[in-house]
Structures are given as structure tokens and as C-alpha cells.
Amino acid sequence: MNVVIIEDEVLAADKLERLLHKYDPKIKVIDRFDSVTDSTIWLGNPANKVDLIFLDIHLVDGLSFEIFNRVQVQTPIIFTTAYNEYALNAFKLNSIDYLLKPVTFDHLYTSLKKLENFRESLSGAGQMKNLEELSNALATIQKNYKTRFMVKIGEKLRSFKAEDITVFYADGRDVFILLKEGNRYIIDYKMEELQDLLNPEQFYRISRSFIVNINSINGVSVHSNSRLKVDLSQEFERELIVSREKVGSFKDWFNGIG
């Protein structure tokens, strides 16, 4: 069986590939993608054939459901997601299963066995119907992006709107927010968690250490080695460099695509 993994977390994709080989050493992961843009290009090429797709919901340049607005996909799909069980119940359907992160071998085994049982019934029309229902369910879930962040200042607690945050950044093991007003505070989140909590239309993770607010970007300039440098509308002592592998998806995001 030939498989494609669409996942923006390298460690998660590596683990999934190991578990697939544990399930069946004959399974071949023929390609891996981390963005809507690259996935769309590959899936849109009729010469590319695959038996199964593992698809994360949040990718580096937006929600994976945008793929299905651009190309027709009739390949069986198993979704992977960090959403909790309650949210997943809204779009768990017979012909498409899911893996809840962190992925375990038992869950993978169950999903693949379920796929085998339903393989003959996975017609193209049924597949697209399920994707439409999944997309509608996700549209409701999308409204629950985090809109405020609480911080502790001395003995007091304050809450700030996400839209008033210029950048989230990591410094060692700590994560900070820089507000448009200039103040900065430590928050009790990891960068990986923030990537799932923030609205991808407004916030983009340009590298491992920085997530920027599109409304706080003053401009973007060409940097060395085909990378980009983000200039904020306020002073910030660190250079905001877009990782080389994210330049394409960043341009799409900044241009309002995907």
C-alpha cells in the first residue's frame, strides 16, 4: 500500500511513518507534505497515485480542508488532529476515520482495520460527501480559536485580546507575548499549542521561535539564502526570519491565499 502523509510537525510525521511500518513493513510512504500549497500541487497531478492519505487538519499555511476547495480528491483519508474527543464527534464518519494526537499504535491499527473493512464501499461520490460534511463541521469548530490570553502580573491576573498581540516568541523554554502597546509577558503555552489555538488567517508561525500577527507586519524584505525578513510595525530587538521551507506558504498566507 502506498501512503502520503500530510503533516506539518516533523516528529509527528516520523512517528506515524514508524507506526505504519510496524503495522505492515510493506507499506510505502511515497511522499510527505506540510502545507496546503504543496499538497494541492501534488494531489492535483493526475499522474500521482496513492492508496491512502494521512491528513492533519492544521498545516503550516492554513487548514487542510482548503485542499478540497482546489482539487478533487477521491483517495481514502484518515485525519489526524489534536482536537479533543468532543470536537471529533462532530465529524467522525464511517468511511473516513481519525487519529487523535498523540498517535498510538492501537489507534492506528484500529483505523487501518476499519479502512480495510470499508474499502470496497469507499466510492468517489461517498468520499466527497463525507469531506463536505467534515468541512461543514470544522467550520463550526473554527469559531473557537482562542481570542484572549491571561497573564500573571505580580499578584494580579490580566487578560489580553489576541488581536492586540504583535508576536508570540520563544526564549529558551519560555514563551512570551509582545503587545502592540509595547509590554511583554510570559504565557503558559508552548509554541506548538499556540499554532493550533490561534486563527491561521491572522497568525502565522514563521519559524520555530516566532508567530506573527499579520496586522502587525509593516513589510517583508528579501534576506540571505532565499529567506525573508519580517519587519514589524513596532520596535523588536530580534530578527524575524521566515524559515526557508516556509517561504512559499508564508507568501500565500501574506497574500491571502490558503
Side-chain angles (χ1 to χ4, degrees), residues 100 108 110 117 136 157 164 224 233-234:
L100 183 65
L108 175 66
T110 300
N117 293 334
N136 290 338
L157 297 175
D164 293 330
S224 61
S233 54
Q234 68 186 90

Side-chain angles (χ1 to χ4, degrees), residues 26-81:
K26 296 180 182 179
I27 291 177
K28 182 179 181 181
V29 178
I30 61 173
D31 225 326
R32 286 166 42 167
F33 305 100
D34 65 357
S35 69
V36 171
T37 301
D38 291 343
S39 302
T40 300
I41 293 172
W42 193 91
L43 292 170
N45 185 343
N48 294 327
K49 304 293 183 183
V50 66
D51 301 307
L52 175 63
I53 298 171
F54 283 88
L55 183 60
D56 189 13
I57 290 178
H58 281 88
L59 301 177
V60 296
D61 55 351
L63 296 171
S64 60
F65 285 92
E66 177 62 24
I67 294 170
F68 307 104
N69 293 330
R70 303 181 186 182
V71 295
Q72 186 176 25
V73 180
Q74 296 183 346
T75 304
I77 295 171
I78 294 178
F79 286 88
T80 61
T81 177

